[in-house]
Amino acid sequence: MYTTELQKADPGVRSVEPADLVAAFEARVAADEFIEPKDWMPEAYRRTLIRQISQHAHSEIVGMLPEGNWITRAPSLRRKAILLAKVQDEGGHGLYLYSAAETLGASRAEMIDALHAGKAKYSTIFNYPTPTWADIGAIGWLVDGAAIMNQVPLQRTSYGPYARAMVRVCKEESFHQRQGYEIMMTLAAGTSAQRRMAQDALDRWWWPALMMFGPPDDQSPNSEQSMRWRIKRDTNDELRQKFVDATVPQAELLGLTIPDPDLRWNEARGGYDFGAIEWEEFFAVVRGEGPCARERIEARRKAWEDGAWVREAADAYEMKRRQRLAA
């Protein structure tokens, strides 16, 4: 999942709801039943899902940008074809997720307008630049690896359409992660310049990848409620620890060094201790101060405006189709 759940809880959702419906809803969630679009749900649950799913969708769409400009510059036809397929997958993920959010009563136009206006968030990881081919490897290995760590539990999230969308998304993200790791393996086994390129990419992407899981649990305003409603299955810090424990051995296999002098194995708890994250950088990027933040939003706005004629043509075609059926 490319989400960070940064918005504070909505203070406007305080209306009194029927106690019997609330109790029945809570019992279903506690029993690990899926909640479906036509089922009754608390307004706060619906709004939380719209925020999380739309933020996830925005992240998939914006996430196409850092890699998209490398399609024509990839070092071989094989690499071009693989990267093209990956970027196409990300667009599909965004469409699945927008569709899931629409089942909750949100319109796609409203969600996209919120993104373009800066009212909706997307993952901060995509506000970093990709100056070398090794960055594409690092994104696949680290960013998509972190996404898998987030998304696998979402196959059991309490909202049915979201959970079902995640099944296919996770399968495709697994391909993306392997594609990135293969790029890093090739570079790490190549010339000294290629190896330096791989290490440099790891140095730049390691800490932003750890930030992808969102702020620490004590600074994540929605985590407690989302855990109780089974929207989330693991906390931010739990997922971050799983990612570190899984990724460090992969770096060792590559012969690359994790850029953390405090990283060490903790035998007592069976996991890696790691250094402090620079959370001020994270929140600065969230505020739109990331190195590519303005560029990313401008690119999305331009794409939306340039594609207006396609949407208008599709609407006109649909109107004519309905008129023919009604005739």
Side-chain angles (χ1 to χ4, degrees):
M1 174 174 73
Y2 297 125
T3 62
T4 43
E5 297 183 279
L6 298 169
Q7 294 91 336
K8 294 182 179 179
D10 189 341
V13 185
R14 291 289 185 271
S15 58
V16 177
E17 294 171 317
D20 58 333
L21 293 179
V22 173
F25 169 83
E26 297 280 1
R28 289 186 62 195
V29 169
D32 280 335
E33 294 182 23
F34 283 138
I35 304 300
E36 300 297 342
K38 293 184 179 180
D39 294 340
W40 186 90
M41 63 188 74
E43 181 63 13
Y45 177 82
R46 186 182 73 85
R47 293 195 186 187
T48 297
L49 280 168
I50 290 173
R51 180 182 64 245
Q52 178 169 325
I53 297 173
S54 65
Q55 186 171 311
H56 191 168
H58 297 329
S59 299
E60 297 283 358
I61 297 299
V62 176
M64 298 165 68
L65 297 172
E67 295 173 304
N69 65 12
W70 272 98
I71 292 173
T72 58
R73 296 184 289 158
S76 69
L77 180 60
R78 174 177 176 269
R79 295 294 189 194
K80 286 178 171 64
I82 293 172
L83 185 56
L84 180 61
K86 179 186 178 184
V87 172
Q88 190 171 352
D89 283 349
E90 305 294 4
H93 298 174
L95 294 178
Y96 305 153
L97 292 162
Y98 284 132
S99 296
E102 285 175 320
T103 67
L104 292 157
S107 80
R108 193 168 307 190
E110 290 172 343
M111 289 184 280
I112 292 174
D113 285 346
L115 172 66
H116 294 170
K119 297 177 182 178
K121 304 295 184 184
Y122 59 88
S123 179
T124 58
I125 197 75
F126 300 119
N127 283 336
Y128 289 89
T130 52
T132 74
W133 174 246
D135 289 279
I136 304 306
I139 287 175
W141 172 33
L142 300 175
V143 175
D144 293 318
I148 293 169
M149 200 66 69
N150 262 313
Q151 291 169 352
V152 166
L154 285 175
Q155 294 175 102
R156 297 180 293 112
T157 192
S158 60
Y159 188 58
Y162 194 19
R164 289 188 287 273
M166 284 299 101
V167 174
R168 178 167 180 172
V169 170
C170 286
K171 289 178 180 178
E172 292 176 349
E173 291 290 0
S174 178
F175 155 73
H176 301 167
Q177 195 270 347
R178 293 175 187 178
Q179 170 254 2
Y181 193 69
E182 189 211 4
I183 291 174
M184 298 298 280
M185 286 182 67
T186 302
L187 293 171
T191 66
S192 58
Q194 289 173 321
R195 188 176 183 81
R196 287 195 301 271
M197 186 189 299
Q199 183 63 58
D200 174 68
L202 172 56
D203 291 347
R204 287 183 288 105
W205 287 95
W206 175 252
W207 293 106
L210 295 192
M211 296 176 195
M212 270 186 70
F213 296 95
D217 292 343
D218 59 3
Q219 297 181 46
S220 183
N222 300 303
S223 283
E224 182 178 354
Q225 182 67 83
S226 292
M227 292 285 289
R228 188 167 68 84
W229 278 337
R230 305 290 204 274
I231 295 174
K232 291 177 65 172
R233 291 288 182 162
D234 302 273
T235 71
N236 297 349
D237 289 335
E238 288 170 347
L239 290 170
R240 194 172 1 255
Q241 184 65 57
K242 288 181 180 179
F243 174 75
V244 172
D245 292 345
T247 308
V248 171
Q250 296 171 359
E252 292 173 347
L253 182 62
L254 293 174
L256 300 178
T257 303
I258 298 291
D260 181 359
D262 297 322
L263 183 72
R264 55 182 53 83
W265 178 255
N266 186 321
E267 189 66 39
R269 63 182 185 80
Y272 286 93
D273 295 332
F274 53 93
I277 297 172
E278 293 290 337
W279 288 113
E280 182 49 43
E281 175 186 338
F282 171 79
F283 288 111
V285 177
V286 170
R287 292 193 299 267
E289 300 168 16
C292 296
R294 183 175 298 180
E295 174 186 334
R296 300 290 185 245
I297 287 298
E298 288 178 353
R300 288 310 313 152
R301 287 176 183 148
K302 184 177 186 302
W304 182 254
E305 292 166 2
D306 290 348
W309 69 272
V310 179
R311 297 191 300 276
E312 291 166 3
D315 289 342
Y317 175 83
E318 178 63 17
M319 183 180 297
K320 289 181 179 179
R321 187 187 70 85
R322 292 184 181 184
Q323 289 171 346
R324 286 195 300 268
L325 291 175

